[in-house]
């Protein structure tokens, strides 16, 4: 190899190394369909001011996703064919990154559907899930 070819090869190698290092430093984002909410406990006791905790996870890595913006919540008895049985849902502070807590009144035993909508920072689209919580006496 001549000196000029050697210099070009070395320059190309340095540019390639710099590009791969800069790409490695930028976080990889999953597709929005890879995110989901999961209940931490599938049951609650019937009563007022009950707390339901969910985790937002990236299904491809299993890691919790903190700092999502929850923009939609609804809690009703749709699984038991009583969609009109709706209760107020109040967001509460999470206890650890990637967990989201909600306070609600579970007025009767049965299956309640918690519908959530959220935006994940850095992602296009929104995460929407319907989770079933069973209220027990």
């Amino acid at each position: 190899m001549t000196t000029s070819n050697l210099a070009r090869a070395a320059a190309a190698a340095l540019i390639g190394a710099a590009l791969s290092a800069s790409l490695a430093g930028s976080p990889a984002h999953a597709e929005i369909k890879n995110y989901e909410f999961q209940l931490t406990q599938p049951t609650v006791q019937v009563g007022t001011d009950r707390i339901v905790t969910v985790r937002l996870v990236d299904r491809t890595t299993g890691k919790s996703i903190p700092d999502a913006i929850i923009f939609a919540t609804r809690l009703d008895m749709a699984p038991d064919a009583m969609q009109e049985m709706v209760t107020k849902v109040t967001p509460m502070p999470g206890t650890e990154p990637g967990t989201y807590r909600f306070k609600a009144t579970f007025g009767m035993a049965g299956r309640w559907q918690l519908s959530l909508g959220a935006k994940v920072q850095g992602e296009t689209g929104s995460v929407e899930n319907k989770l079933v919580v069973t209220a027990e006496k």
Side-chain angles (χ1 to χ4, degrees):
M1 240 185 196
T2 65
T3 304
S4 63
N5 285 343
L6 186 59
R8 278 188 237 156
L14 287 174
I15 290 170
L19 282 175
S20 65
S22 69
L23 291 176
S26 56
H29 294 289
E31 291 186 35
I32 200 71
K33 67 181 180 177
N34 291 334
Y35 296 101
E36 72 176 0
F37 284 101
Q38 299 173 346
L39 289 168
T40 61
Q41 290 288 327
T43 61
V44 296
Q45 293 295 310
V46 171
T48 59
D49 296 336
R50 300 300 184 210
I51 301 294
V52 175
T53 304
V54 299
R55 284 181 5 140
L56 178 59
V57 297
D58 179 343
R59 291 186 299 189
T60 59
T61 64
K63 292 185 179 181
S64 295
I65 306 299
D67 304 323
I69 299 168
I70 309 292
F71 64 83
T73 57
R74 178 180 167 94
L75 185 61
D76 60 42
M77 291 193 77
D80 285 345
M82 292 187 276
Q83 296 85 334
E84 67 281 353
M85 184 74 161
V86 179
T87 191
K88 181 181 174 186
V89 179
T90 305
M92 304 293 292
T95 55
E96 56 189 69
T99 63
Y100 303 86
R101 296 176 42 191
F102 305 95
K103 179 171 61 172
T105 297
F106 290 83
M108 63 186 294
R111 294 177 299 155
W112 292 78
Q113 179 173 278
L114 177 62
S115 302
L116 298 170
K119 297 293 270 180
V120 175
Q121 293 184 15
E123 297 295 342
T124 304
S126 57
V127 178
E128 296 180 16
N129 287 132
K130 296 178 187 297
L131 307 169
V132 177
V133 180
T134 302
E136 300 175 337
K137 289 186 177 195

